[in-house]
Coordinates of all heavy atoms in Angstrom, one line a residue:
Chain A
F769 N 89.7 73.4 90.7 CA 89.1 74.4 91.6 C 90.2 75.2 92.3 O 91.1 74.7 92.8 CB 88.2 73.7 92.7 CG 87.7 74.7 93.7 CD1 86.6 75.5 93.3 CD2 88.2 74.6 95.0 CE1 86.1 76.4 94.4 CE2 87.8 75.4 95.9 CZ 86.6 76.4 95.7
Chain B
M1084 N 85.3 72.9 104.7 CA 85.5 71.6 103.8 C 86.3 72.1 102.5 O 85.9 73.1 102.0 CB 84.1 71.0 103.5 CG 84.4 69.5 103.2 SD 82.7 68.6 103.4 CE 81.9 69.1 102.0
R1085 N 87.2 71.3 102.1 CA 88.0 71.7 100.9 C 88.2 70.4 100.1 O 88.6 69.3 100.8 CB 89.3 72.2 101.5 CG 90.0 73.0 100.6 CD 91.4 73.4 101.0 NE 92.2 73.8 99.8 CZ 92.8 72.9 99.0 NH1 92.7 71.6 99.3 NH2 93.5 73.3 98.0
Y1086 N 88.1 70.4 98.9 CA 88.4 69.2 98.1 C 89.5 69.4 97.1 O 89.8 70.4 96.6 CB 87.1 68.8 97.4 CG 86.6 69.6 96.3 CD1 86.9 69.3 95.0 CD2 85.9 70.7 96.5 CE1 86.5 70.1 93.9 CE2 85.5 71.5 95.4 CZ 85.7 71.2 94.3 OH 85.3 72.0 93.2
T1087 N 90.2 68.2 96.9 CA 91.3 68.1 95.9 C 91.0 67.0 95.1 O 91.1 65.8 95.6 CB 92.6 67.9 96.6 OG1 92.8 69.0 97.6 CG2 93.8 68.2 95.5
I1088 N 90.7 67.2 93.8 CA 90.6 66.0 92.8 C 91.9 65.8 92.1 O 92.6 66.7 91.8 CB 89.4 66.5 91.8 CG1 88.1 66.6 92.6 CG2 89.5 65.6 90.6 CD1 87.0 67.1 91.8
F1089 N 92.1 64.6 91.9 CA 93.4 64.2 91.3 C 93.1 63.0 90.3 O 92.0 62.5 90.3 CB 94.4 63.7 92.4 CG 94.0 62.4 93.1 CD1 94.1 61.1 92.6 CD2 93.5 62.7 94.4 CE1 93.8 60.0 93.4 CE2 93.0 61.5 95.1 CZ 93.2 60.3 94.6
G1090 N 94.0 62.9 89.4 CA 93.9 61.7 88.4 C 93.9 62.1 87.0 O 93.6 63.2 86.7
A1096 N 94.2 55.5 88.6 CA 93.0 55.8 89.3 C 92.8 57.3 89.3 O 93.7 58.1 89.1 CB 93.2 55.3 90.7
I1097 N 91.5 57.7 89.7 CA 91.2 59.0 89.9 C 90.6 59.1 91.2 O 90.3 58.1 91.9 CB 90.2 59.5 88.7 CG1 89.0 58.7 88.8 CG2 90.9 59.7 87.5 CD1 87.9 59.2 87.9
G1098 N 90.5 60.3 91.8 CA 90.0 60.4 93.2 C 89.9 61.7 93.6 O 90.1 62.7 92.9
V1099 N 89.5 61.9 95.0 CA 89.3 63.1 95.6 C 89.6 63.0 97.1 O 89.4 62.0 97.6 CB 87.9 63.7 95.4 CG1 86.8 62.6 96.0 CG2 87.7 65.0 96.0
V1100 N 90.2 64.1 97.6 CA 90.3 64.1 99.1 C 89.5 65.3 99.6 O 89.7 66.3 99.1 CB 91.9 64.2 99.6 CG1 92.0 64.3 101.0 CG2 92.6 63.1 98.9
L1101 N 88.7 65.0 100.6 CA 87.9 66.0 101.2 C 88.4 66.3 102.6 O 88.4 65.4 103.4 CB 86.4 65.5 101.2 CG 85.4 65.9 100.2 CD1 84.1 65.2 100.4 CD2 85.2 67.4 100.3
E1102 N 88.8 67.4 102.8 CA 89.3 67.8 104.2 C 88.2 68.6 104.9 O 87.4 69.4 104.2 CB 90.5 68.7 104.0 CG 91.7 68.1 103.4 CD 92.7 69.2 103.3 OE1 93.5 69.6 104.1 OE2 92.7 69.8 102.1
V1104 N 85.7 67.6 106.6 CA 84.3 67.0 106.6 C 83.9 66.8 108.1 O 84.7 66.3 109.0 CB 84.3 65.5 106.0 CG1 82.9 64.9 106.1 CG2 84.8 65.5 104.6
M1115 N 75.4 58.1 97.1 CA 76.6 58.3 96.3 C 76.6 57.6 95.0 O 76.8 58.2 94.0 CB 77.9 58.1 97.2 CG 79.1 58.7 96.5 SD 80.7 58.3 97.4 CE 80.5 59.4 98.8
L1119 N 76.5 58.9 91.1 CA 77.5 58.6 90.2 C 76.8 58.0 88.9 O 77.3 58.2 87.9 CB 78.5 57.6 90.8 CG 79.4 58.3 91.7 CD1 80.3 57.3 92.6 CD2 80.6 59.2 90.9
V1139 N 83.6 53.6 93.9 CA 84.4 54.3 94.8 C 85.1 53.5 96.1 O 84.2 52.8 96.7 CB 83.5 55.5 95.5 CG1 84.3 56.2 96.6 CG2 83.0 56.4 94.4
H1140 N 86.3 53.7 96.2 CA 87.0 53.0 97.4 C 87.4 54.1 98.4 O 87.9 55.0 98.0 CB 88.3 52.3 96.9 CG 88.0 51.1 95.9 ND1 87.9 49.9 96.2 CD2 87.7 51.1 94.6 CE1 87.7 49.0 95.3 NE2 87.6 49.9 94.2
I1141 N 86.9 53.8 99.4 CA 87.1 54.9 100.5 C 88.3 54.4 101.3 O 88.3 53.4 101.9 CB 85.9 55.1 101.4 CG1 84.9 55.8 100.6 CG2 86.3 56.1 102.6 CD1 83.5 56.1 101.3
L1142 N 89.4 55.3 101.3 CA 90.7 54.9 101.9 C 90.8 55.4 103.3 O 91.5 55.0 104.1 CB 91.8 55.4 101.0 CG 92.0 54.9 99.7 CD1 93.3 55.4 99.1 CD2 91.9 53.4 99.5
S1143 N 90.1 56.5 103.6 CA 90.3 57.1 105.0 C 89.2 58.0 105.3 O 88.3 58.3 104.6 CB 91.6 57.9 104.9 OG 91.4 59.0 104.0
P1154 N 90.6 63.7 107.0 CA 90.4 63.8 105.5 C 89.9 62.5 104.9 O 90.2 61.3 105.2 CB 91.9 63.9 105.0 CG 92.6 64.8 106.0 CD 91.9 64.1 107.3
L1155 N 88.8 62.7 104.1 CA 88.1 61.5 103.5 C 88.7 61.3 102.1 O 88.5 62.1 101.2 CB 86.7 61.9 103.4 CG 85.7 60.9 102.8 CD1 85.5 59.8 103.7 CD2 84.3 61.6 102.5
A1156 N 89.4 60.3 101.9 CA 90.0 60.0 100.6 C 89.2 59.0 99.8 O 88.9 57.9 100.4 CB 91.5 59.6 100.7
M1157 N 88.8 59.3 98.6 CA 87.9 58.4 97.8 C 88.7 58.2 96.4 O 89.1 59.1 95.8 CB 86.5 59.0 97.6 CG 85.8 59.3 98.9 SD 84.1 59.7 98.7 CE 84.2 61.4 98.3
V1158 N 88.7 56.9 96.1 CA 89.5 56.5 94.8 C 88.7 55.7 93.9 O 87.9 54.9 94.4 CB 90.9 55.8 95.2 CG1 91.5 55.2 94.1 CG2 91.9 56.8 95.9
I1159 N 88.7 56.1 92.7 CA 88.0 55.3 91.7 C 89.0 54.7 90.7 O 89.7 55.5 89.9 CB 87.0 56.1 91.0 CG1 86.1 56.8 91.9 CG2 86.2 55.4 89.9 CD1 85.0 57.9 91.3
P1160 N 89.2 53.5 90.6 CA 90.2 52.8 89.8 C 89.7 53.0 88.3 O 88.6 53.0 88.0 CB 90.3 51.4 90.1 CG 89.6 51.3 91.4 CD 88.7 52.4 91.6
H1200 N 94.1 64.6 82.7 CA 93.5 65.4 83.8 C 92.3 66.3 83.4 O 91.6 66.7 84.3 CB 94.6 66.2 84.6 CG 94.2 66.7 85.9 ND1 93.8 66.0 86.9 CD2 94.0 68.0 86.4 CE1 93.4 66.8 88.0 NE2 93.6 68.0 87.6
L1205 N 87.0 63.0 85.2 CA 87.4 63.6 86.5 C 86.2 64.2 87.2 O 86.2 64.7 88.3 CB 88.5 64.7 86.3 CG 89.9 64.4 86.4 CD1 90.4 64.0 87.7 CD2 90.2 63.3 85.3
T1206 N 85.0 64.2 86.5 CA 83.8 64.7 87.1 C 83.2 63.5 88.0 O 82.4 63.9 88.9 CB 82.7 65.1 86.1 OG1 82.4 64.0 85.3 CG2 83.1 66.3 85.4
A1207 N 83.7 62.4 87.9 CA 83.3 61.2 88.8 C 83.6 61.5 90.3 O 82.9 61.6 91.2 CB 83.7 59.9 88.4
P1208 N 84.9 61.8 90.5 CA 85.2 62.2 92.0 C 84.6 63.4 92.4 O 84.2 63.6 93.6 CB 86.8 62.3 92.0 CG 87.2 62.3 90.6 CD 86.2 61.7 89.8
L1209 N 84.3 64.4 91.5 CA 83.6 65.6 91.9 C 82.2 65.3 92.4 O 81.7 65.8 93.4 CB 83.5 66.6 90.7 CG 82.8 67.9 90.8 CD1 83.2 68.8 92.1 CD2 83.0 68.8 89.6
V1210 N 81.5 64.3 91.6 CA 80.2 63.9 92.1 C 80.2 63.2 93.4 O 79.3 63.5 94.2 CB 79.6 63.0 90.9 CG1 78.3 62.3 91.4 CG2 79.2 63.9 89.7
A1211 N 81.2 62.4 93.7 CA 81.3 61.7 94.8 C 81.6 62.8 96.0 O 80.9 62.6 97.0 CB 82.5 60.7 94.8
A1212 N 82.4 63.7 95.8 CA 82.6 64.8 96.8 C 81.2 65.5 97.0 O 80.8 65.8 98.1 CB 83.7 65.7 96.4
G1213 N 80.6 65.8 95.9 CA 79.2 66.5 96.0 C 78.2 65.7 96.7 O 77.3 66.3 97.5
S1214 N 78.3 64.4 96.6 CA 77.3 63.6 97.4 C 77.5 63.7 98.9 O 76.5 63.8 99.6 CB 77.5 62.1 96.9 OG 76.7 61.3 97.7
V1215 N 78.8 63.7 99.2 CA 79.0 64.0 100.7 C 78.5 65.4 101.1 O 77.8 65.6 102.1 CB 80.6 64.0 101.1 CG1 80.8 64.2 102.5 CG2 81.1 62.6 100.7
L1422 N 79.0 71.7 97.1 CA 80.2 72.0 97.7 C 80.4 73.6 98.0 O 80.8 73.8 99.0 CB 81.4 71.5 96.9 CG 81.6 70.0 96.8 CD1 82.4 69.6 95.5 CD2 82.3 69.6 98.1
Chain D
T1027 N 98.1 67.6 101.2 CA 97.0 67.0 102.0 C 97.3 65.6 102.3 O 97.3 64.7 101.4 CB 95.7 67.0 101.3 OG1 95.5 68.4 100.8 CG2 94.4 66.8 102.2
F1029 N 96.3 62.0 104.2 CA 95.1 61.3 104.6 C 95.5 60.0 105.1 O 96.5 59.5 104.8 CB 94.1 61.3 103.4 CG 94.6 60.5 102.2 CD1 94.5 59.2 102.2 CD2 95.1 61.2 101.2 CE1 95.0 58.5 101.1 CE2 95.5 60.6 100.0 CZ 95.5 59.2 99.9
V1039 N 99.0 60.9 100.3 CA 99.1 62.4 100.3 C 98.9 62.9 98.8 O 99.1 62.1 97.9 CB 100.6 62.9 100.7 CG1 101.6 62.2 99.8 CG2 100.7 64.4 100.8
V1040 N 98.1 63.9 98.7 CA 98.1 64.6 97.4 C 98.8 65.9 97.4 O 98.6 66.7 98.3 CB 96.6 64.8 97.0 CG1 96.4 65.4 95.7 CG2 95.8 63.5 97.2
E1042 N 99.3 69.3 95.4 CA 99.0 70.1 94.4 C 99.9 71.2 94.0 O 100.7 71.7 94.8 CB 97.6 70.9 94.8 CG 96.5 70.1 95.0 CD 95.4 70.9 95.6 OE1 94.7 71.5 95.0 OE2 95.4 70.9 96.9
L1082 N 99.4 57.5 91.9 CA 98.1 57.3 91.2 C 97.9 58.4 90.2 O 97.2 58.2 89.3 CB 96.9 57.5 92.2 CG 96.8 56.4 93.3 CD1 95.5 56.6 93.9 CD2 96.9 54.9 92.7
S1083 N 98.6 59.5 90.2 CA 98.4 60.5 89.3 C 99.5 61.7 89.3 O 100.4 61.6 90.2 CB 97.1 61.3 89.7 OG 97.2 62.0 90.9
P1094 N 97.7 67.3 90.1 CA 97.9 66.9 91.5 C 98.6 65.5 91.5 O 98.2 64.6 90.7 CB 96.4 66.8 92.0 CG 95.8 67.9 91.3 CD 96.2 67.9 89.9
A1096 N 99.1 62.3 93.4 CA 98.5 61.5 94.5 C 99.4 60.3 94.6 O 99.7 59.5 93.8 CB 97.2 61.1 94.1
V1098 N 99.8 56.9 97.4 CA 99.2 56.1 98.2 C 100.1 55.0 98.8 O 101.0 54.3 98.1 CB 98.0 55.5 97.6 CG1 97.3 54.4 98.5 CG2 96.9 56.6 97.4

Side-chain angles (χ1 to χ4, degrees):
Chain A
F769 175 73
Chain B
M1084 209 158 70
R1085 199 186 161 282
Y1086 69 96
T1087 309
I1088 286 171
F1089 60 84
I1097 57 178
V1099 62
V1100 180
L1101 264 169
E1102 293 168 89
V1104 182
M1115 188 185 286
L1119 283 166
V1139 173
H1140 298 260
I1141 296 183
L1142 299 188
S1143 65
L1155 183 70
M1157 301 189 281
V1158 167
I1159 303 172
H1200 188 60
L1205 274 288
T1206 57
L1209 178 54
V1210 167
S1214 176
V1215 177
L1422 288 158
Chain D
T1027 309
F1029 60 84
V1039 62
V1040 180
E1042 293 169 89
L1082 298 187
S1083 65
V1098 167

